[in-house]
Amino acid sequence: GKNTYSAKKVATDYFNAIKNCDWDTAYDMMDISESEFINKDLFIKAMSDYTSDEEITKYMVSVQESDIEAVATVTYRVKGEDYNDDYNFVMNRQNKKNFLIFDSWKVSPKTFISKNIQVAVPNGAELYMDGKAVDESYISDESDDYTTYYVIPKLFNGYHTFNIAVGDFESDVEKYDVSYDGDYLSLQSINIDEKSQKEI
């Protein structure tokens, strides 16, 4: 039981899920409080464009535990390389035990989540993210006569789609990698799609 539910076993299973781009399994192992923009479907969608051509030949997992957390370090070697890389993450000890005896661990999702993503759109335009309208409750007080600022409190790193609409006109859909493009995105132009042009 200690081997099955140990922090080291959880860390090993999690690393294998990440290594194999098994985002469904990885999500289930995370210590996540879900919200409108933080859930399994959006996580899998955000990570779906990530693939890895690297073949990991060998790896070693080490874990340091405390009463609250366990810090995991995975040292691995990519095929063809002559040096090692490290992948570090934290696991939170859960209050609920397995079979009332064995510790339960969940991986902190901190490395996968960006906070306070600000999206600027022309005043009067609606914002759509991942095909869904973003509610006006996310509009910031910093908005002015020309620009409306939406602030998304938490968003998975990875690829998300954004577009804006004014009346019957919608902009082209743009894809951003939130983890790469930073915490500020600007959608200031409305490119009229071909269908709308024909209607005009």
Side-chain angles (χ1 to χ4, degrees):
K2 287 182 178 179
N3 289 334
T4 302
Y5 299 107
S6 69
K8 185 174 182 178
K9 177 67 163 57
V10 173
T12 302
D13 290 346
Y14 177 75
F15 179 72
N16 278 315
I18 296 297
K19 178 170 66 76
N20 297 323
C21 297
D22 182 359
W23 306 118
D24 189 290
T25 298
Y27 183 90
D28 289 338
M29 300 182 74
M30 291 183 189
D31 192 12
I32 287 182
S33 296
E34 293 192 330
S35 65
E36 182 178 2
F37 300 112
I38 300 293
N39 56 60
K40 180 186 273 192
D41 288 342
L42 290 178
F43 176 73
I44 292 173
K45 185 175 181 179
M47 302 305 295
S48 62
D49 286 339
Y50 283 120
T51 58
S52 177
D53 297 327
E54 297 179 339
E55 182 182 345
I56 295 175
T57 55
K58 295 286 185 180
Y59 66 89
M60 178 179 65
V61 180
S62 60
V63 175
Q64 292 184 330
E65 293 184 34
S66 71
D67 291 338
I68 297 175
E69 66 181 21
V71 179
T73 299
V74 182
T75 302
Y76 63 92
R77 176 70 61 92
V78 174
K79 185 175 182 179
E81 299 293 349
D82 58 357
Y83 59 90
N84 296 332
D85 281 315
D86 286 337
Y87 178 64
N88 302 296
F89 54 93
V90 173
M91 295 177 293
N92 299 328
R93 191 188 297 270
Q94 305 297 293
N95 291 326
K96 185 178 180 181
K97 290 183 176 288
N98 292 300
F99 299 106
L100 306 177
I101 300 173
F102 306 110
D103 287 331
S104 178
W105 299 93
K106 288 281 190 178
V107 178
S108 170
K110 186 176 180 180
T111 56
F112 282 101
I113 294 178
S114 291
K115 294 183 178 180
N116 296 324
I117 303 298
Q118 187 179 72
V119 185
V121 304
N123 201 13
E126 291 182 281
L127 173 65
Y128 289 81
M129 186 177 73
D130 295 325
K132 181 180 178 182
V134 179
D135 190 86
E136 292 181 356
S137 62
Y138 294 99
I139 294 177
S140 167
D141 293 336
E142 297 179 11
S143 300
D144 54 38
D145 292 338
Y146 304 99
T147 306
T148 299
Y149 297 99
Y150 288 82
V151 177
I152 312 299
K154 289 183 179 180
L155 195 61
F156 285 120
N157 291 330
Y159 292 94
H160 296 270
T161 59
F162 296 85
N163 68 300
I164 53 179
V166 176
D168 294 330
F169 302 110
E170 292 189 7
S171 71
D172 294 335
V173 175
E174 299 184 41
K175 181 182 283 189
Y176 290 93
D177 183 348
V178 170
S179 55
Y180 177 79
D181 291 304
D183 59 0
Y184 179 84
L185 309 174
S186 179
L187 286 76
Q188 293 289 353
S189 62
I190 298 180
N191 298 318
I192 303 173
D193 61 28
E194 187 176 352
K195 180 181 177 183
S196 297
Q197 290 180 35
K198 290 180 178 178
E199 289 178 357
I200 293 172

